[in-house]
Amino acid sequence: MPDWEGVRLHVVSGKGGTGKTTVAAALAMALAADGKRTLLIEVEERQGIAELFGISALPYEERRVASVGPGALGRSGARTGSAKGGREGGREGEVFALAIDIEQALLEYLEMFYKLGRAGKALRKVGFIDFATTIAPGLRDVLLTGKACEAVRRKGPDGKRHYDAVVMDAPPTGRVSRFLNINTEVAGLARFGPIFTQSQAVMRVIRSPETAVHLVTLLEEMPVQETVDGVAELRAAGLPVGGVFVNMVRPPMLDEAAILAADGDHREELGMALADAGVGARPGGGARKTVPAATKKLVEPLLAQGREHAARVLLEREQRADVQALKLPTYELPLLSGGVDLGGLYRLAAALKEEGAA
Ligand SMILES: Nc1ncnc2c1ncn2[C@@H]1O[C@H](COP(=O)(O)OP(=O)(O)OP(=O)(O)O)[C@@H](O)[C@H]1O
Ligand SMILES: [Mg+2]
């Protein structure tokens, strides 16, 4: 059973640059496996999702950006496919994406409450929209969260949910609590009427077990500290804390003994080992007593790299312990050496599925 069964709105936050957009996309793909349909929502108006999927800018409409065929996310899917002779697991999952356009969302919102129709367009002409978004920065957040909740609650004519899950590429940790709670403020201002009802409906979704706010981090001091603070802030704000996604994890290249011994003097030992392996010198027979000069030159830089690596592994270990102390479901995503392309997204999605995040 995946960890977030029953969650329909996944909000992905975290420190800037840690991989929020990437993780949100990979999560939307992982959740789409087994014939599900998911929606990935971008709220920052930067077209990061389009860039990630290598497509042109997304218009303000829900567009299919990826499909997740049976077996596309690695071993488990592939196994089901072959063992059952391809009869089962044949359903293809679909990922849709939406980049919210504030102006359009505002017109939609006004339309919803006041049936403005053409008057809505007139508002744009007279600059009302710029005005409204400027005087009320919170209005933007009301529109964004409202749109996300609409997608979460939307049902088809058959009464079934239109999307199995909605994943939001949300603002960074410092802004996410206020962003998600904006409708509480609105409900406090408008005590009754359609706007009050709407903001209450949005808060009901956001504060319910149907929502999970995940935080992305790296195994570095600042992002981990921001994660620890972020969790406390979300809790204080009464928002449902989800999991921690540790991104860009590098596998250790030295074994435990080497890490612990990295500070010692290994010049002679390493020089001999390199010479024996024929590195920096012509391979020759017989045991050596001295290290050739060409090999010697390699020793110091290699040792320096090794020490640096060992130090980093030890630091990462401390950071990992701090993450574990949060006692939240935690997932690790590998650092992809070539950067993140569509193939990379499938790999990250497969890792998330494997770890039970979807
Ligand atoms: N697992 C990974 N392996 C390799 N590169 C990664 C990985 N995750 C993210 N990246 C790269 O790191 C950079 C930042 O990622 P991303 O844009 O997802 O972060 P972000 O948190 O959304 O940033 P911002 O705060 O600017 O919105 C991108 O170039 C992305 O391709
Ligand atoms: Mg981003």
Side-chain angles (χ1 to χ4, degrees):
M1 187 93 128
D3 295 346
W4 308 103
E5 195 76 30
V7 169
R8 310 207 96 88
L9 177 60
H10 296 263
V11 179
V12 179
S13 182
K15 188 176 180 337
T18 52
K20 295 181 294 297
T21 304
T22 307
V23 170
L27 184 59
M29 289 168 81
L31 291 164
D34 312 318
K36 301 255 174 55
R37 189 194 286 153
T38 61
L39 177 68
L40 177 59
I41 296 187
E42 169 159 31
V43 301
E44 301 261 271
E45 292 187 285
R46 285 189 359 213
Q47 293 288 345
I49 291 173
E51 196 184 322
L52 190 52
F53 284 92
I55 53 177
S56 52
L58 285 165
Y60 185 42
E61 67 186 34
E62 289 153 37
R63 279 265 175 105
R64 199 172 103 139
V65 293
S67 61
V68 184
L73 299 188
R75 283 179 287 130
S76 55
R79 208 167 45 225
T80 321
S82 59
K84 306 254 166 106
R87 272 186 303 115
E88 246 181 69
R91 289 197 304 143
E92 181 165 272
E94 293 179 298
V95 182
F96 287 75
L98 172 70
I100 297 180
D101 176 291
I102 288 295
E103 197 175 298
Q104 300 265 353
L106 179 54
L107 290 178
E108 226 174 63
Y109 187 82
L110 292 172
E111 178 86 17
M112 177 159 74
F113 297 127
Y114 302 113
K115 306 274 174 268
L116 279 172
R118 286 177 177 281
K121 295 204 179 70
L123 286 177
R124 175 160 41 181
K125 277 214 185 92
V126 300
F128 168 79
I129 288 160
D130 276 348
F131 170 72
T133 45
T134 317
I135 58 154
L139 178 61
R140 172 180 291 270
D141 298 353
V142 169
L143 296 169
L144 295 168
T145 49
K147 184 69 198 171
C149 288
E150 182 274 316
V152 169
R153 288 182 312 188
R154 193 186 309 161
K155 289 188 176 157
D158 55 358
K160 283 207 190 122
R161 302 259 185 191
H162 188 76
Y163 289 111
D164 293 288
V166 174
V167 181
M168 184 195 264
D169 177 12
T173 334
R175 288 197 279 124
V176 75
S177 293
R178 173 104 204 268
F179 171 80
L180 292 172
N181 265 339
I182 191 72
N183 281 280
T184 316
E185 293 179 33
V186 175
L189 290 173
R191 309 260 168 131
F192 51 86
I195 292 183
F196 175 78
T197 315
Q198 154 77 3
S199 48
Q200 286 236 307
V202 172
M203 281 325 294
R204 260 201 306 279
V205 172
I206 288 180
R207 285 173 181 269
S208 78
E210 278 195 342
T211 296
V213 186
H214 307 298
L215 296 175
V216 181
T217 188
L218 309 176
L219 288 177
E220 291 169 13
E221 208 171 327
M222 298 266 287
V224 168
Q225 189 56 50
E226 199 165 315
T227 305
V228 173
D229 295 344
V231 168
E233 201 181 318
L234 287 168
R235 289 208 171 117
L239 294 163
V241 178
V244 180
F245 291 69
V246 181
N247 193 22
M248 305 195 211
V249 175
R250 285 167 284 207
M253 286 187 290
L254 300 174
D255 62 22
E256 191 62 26
I259 287 168
L260 295 176
D263 279 338
D265 180 0
H266 305 287
R267 276 171 299 184
E268 191 62 24
E269 189 188 337
L270 180 62
M272 291 307 280
L274 287 173
D276 280 346
V279 177
R282 235 173 279 132
R288 288 166 207 279
K289 293 209 176 60
T290 56
V291 179
T295 306
K296 249 184 190 152
K297 271 197 264 171
L298 298 174
V299 169
E300 270 310 328
L302 268 176
L303 279 175
Q305 274 189 33
R307 276 192 295 266
E308 205 180 293
H309 179 78
R312 209 189 61 212
V313 169
L314 292 173
L315 276 178
E316 286 181 354
R317 207 168 277 178
E318 282 173 31
Q319 301 307 323
R320 193 178 266 117
D322 286 354
V323 170
Q324 279 163 356
L326 290 169
K327 300 210 182 317
L328 294 170
T330 301
Y331 313 97
E332 296 209 354
L333 294 161
L335 173 75
L336 302 177
S337 51
V340 184
D341 55 7
L342 191 58
L345 278 180
Y346 279 103
R347 272 183 62 195
L348 296 178
L352 289 178
K353 189 127 185 71
E354 182 106 334
E355 295 176 74

